[in-house]
Amino acid sequence: MDPNNLVEMLSQTVERYPEKDALMWKQDGSYTSMTFQEFWDRIRNLAAGLNRLGVKPDDKVAILASSNEMWAISDFAIGSLGAVSVPVYPTIPSNQVSYVLDNGDCTIAIVEDDEQLQKVKDGEAEVQHSIVMKPGSDFTATDNLSSFTSLEEDGANHPLKDWEEQWGAIDGDQLMTIIHTSGTTGSPKGVMLSHDNFLSQMKAIQFWVIELRPDDVHLSYLPLSHVFERMAGHFMPLMAGTTIAYAESIDTIQDNLQEVKPTIMTSVPRLFEKVYARVVDQIENGSPMKRKIFNWAIDVGKERYDYYLSTPVHELVLNPMPKKLQSQVIRADRLVYQKIKDRLGGRMRGMVVGGGSLNPDIAKFFWSLNVPILEGYGLTETSPVVTTNPMTRAKVGTTGKPIPGCRVRIASDGEVLVKGPNVMQGYYKNQEATDKDIVDGWFYTGDIGSLDEDGYLKIVDRKKRVLVLSTGKNVAPAPIESAINESRYIEFAAVIGDGRKYVSALVTPDMENLLPWAKEQGIQTESRAELCERDDVQKLLKDEVAHLTASYADYETPSKVVVIGDEWTVDSGELTPKLSLRMKNIEEKYSDLIAETYDEASTSAKEVAAEAR
């Protein structure tokens, strides 16, 4: 029977798999776990504890923490009371935390530790009670401060007698969460998403992308405060009975892959770009024979992918591969593929990527290794998935087809419009913005895209990010940035040039790979700033940009490359929590440098481009 709300959805999974592991997390140096029944019992206890604090239907409760088992418990406990969770990125500073808490009308905040608690205290939001997941040694409970454990214990001692009836009566159109947008183009807006918004997604996706199974293990490293991980790495696995293992952090992802050995994973493009760059670097520095074997194996993999894409599905069932190709794939897997797949834990059967544009060459590389990467597209306002590539017919270079029940059309100016049960209820306390973005039921995404002859969607860029040069040419920076990010020596690239005669690129170095290169060149310093000022380092990065953008039109190719010595992070404001560029912040921070770059009259754009090439 289809569930009426997300809590009922989880209760059905608990009934099917009570003793199966639901969540895994690192504790005291090793992974520990809890079963679905234990997970459910802790949700029940926390819900009772929150009820004793006065939480009632429609109240707003913030969750300010990195992804962990208590985040998941909090999410369902809040929802089971008919209340509304307001996730907050743990990486944002206190002034932004204060904005989200205030805009979301949060009366209670569940925070990870003392550091996050201080952000709540520093703000002006009227939070009446804070709950700390991991209190410090000097923690003291007060009338408006509790520990997570004590609140669970209080709930266990004073259970809600009508809890099942309470969550069972929640309708699908009940507000489940308010997720604030990243605010790349202005103040964040609170996106209102209901139980039905998410349930419609799960019903459409489960047999459309990768069919999640109870024996799957999902490694979760993206923040649960982001809608992509919340739906694809939280609700979806829990519906299917899949075990969720939380990575410690993005910095430990390689170790956690080996410890957990996941079968499924969601990610943003940056992880795949880094893995790809590392593999290519090792191959290029290997022996000629290794390079020859590697290139042969990749060619075999591409042939397998092309066969898979061009052969009708019913024929694939009867004849998955020609015998000659099959024998080549088996040999290539033994010699090359498995060694690379072992870096992902050795059991990966599929990865879903969202939150940005993935370079088609990188996607096809992983497909060649028989590690399917399924790209999709969506926004917070669409819960989030709009389109995704199905496992049975994925097309690299696209974000796939609209999911069942969701309609997509392209406006006359190229903007992608979306209609369906996944579209948000609106922006919280912002009817003006709601009316502007939703017209006659169609959500105006702000993205420029096109549908190919088979109905697959290709996203060009954000509508507001398309650069209009003074020559009249239009340039979409995202694909160019994605190409530049293939370089193992470049961490991030930002392409600029709106209103200018030509485009330029601001690039930051990837110190993990730049330092070994500098050492090989006999460069003694390890200072980031000093390295970025060196002529030989600047030449290296300019040559990388020129090489990786050589296939673009002249007007799309960065004529000037500016090496930025600063590290771009979420905390310093250049990146969103999902590692997208905050172009407004970047252009403001480097406005003088950008003006100086374009004011240099001594060297023409063509001379710089020729020099870089």
Side-chain angles (χ1 to χ4, degrees), residues 492-552:
F492 292 103
V495 172
I496 58 174
D498 195 45
R500 310 281 188 171
K501 288 184 179 180
Y502 53 87
V503 299
S504 299
L506 309 181
V507 300
T508 66
D510 187 330
M511 296 301 289
E512 183 180 345
N513 293 311
L514 185 60
L515 284 175
W517 176 88
K519 193 172 183 179
E520 290 176 2
Q521 308 305 311
I523 300 172
Q524 298 303 316
T525 182
E526 293 190 0
S527 164
R528 184 187 188 95
E530 290 179 12
L531 277 173
C532 290
E533 291 175 358
R534 291 182 62 94
D535 291 342
D536 46 4
V537 171
Q538 294 208 13
K539 183 179 186 306
L540 168 70
L541 299 185
K542 289 177 180 179
D543 286 347
E544 287 286 293
V545 172
H547 168 69
L548 292 166
T549 60
S551 62
Y552 285 86

Side-chain angles (χ1 to χ4, degrees), residues 114-127:
D114 293 343
E115 178 186 355
Q116 304 299 345
L117 176 62
Q118 192 59 49
K119 292 180 184 179
V120 176
K121 290 180 176 179
D122 289 345
E124 298 179 357
E126 297 181 3
V127 175

Side-chain angles (χ1 to χ4, degrees), residues 154-217:
D154 189 36
N157 293 328
H158 302 87
L160 274 171
K161 295 180 181 179
D162 61 347
W163 185 58
E164 285 81 0
E165 290 80 3
Q166 189 168 348
W167 60 253
I170 294 173
D171 291 329
D173 60 359
Q174 166 68 34
L175 188 59
M176 172 67 183
T177 189
I178 298 173
I179 302 177
H180 285 77
T181 58
S182 58
T184 53
T185 58
S187 297
K189 299 189 288 287
V191 176
M192 298 188 291
L193 299 177
S194 68
H195 288 258
D196 266 349
N197 282 142
F198 288 112
L199 288 171
S200 72
Q201 291 265 287
M202 292 184 282
K203 186 176 181 180
I205 291 171
Q206 169 66 346
F207 301 106
W208 181 255
V209 191
I210 299 177
E211 182 182 353
L212 293 177
R213 305 186 303 237
D215 59 346
D216 277 322
V217 176

Side-chain angles (χ1 to χ4, degrees), residues 14-15 28 54 67 76 86 165 171 296 298 330 381 396 426 521:
V14 174
E15 288 179 10
D28 299 326
S67 301
F76 281 97
V86 182
E165 290 80 3
D171 291 329
W296 167 81
I298 294 301
I330 292 172
E381 291 89 340
V396 165
Q521 308 305 311

Side-chain angles (χ1 to χ4, degrees), residues 417-428:
L417 311 185
V418 179
K419 194 175 204 177
N422 54 329
V423 173
M424 65 173 178
Q425 292 185 340
Y427 296 113
Y428 187 61

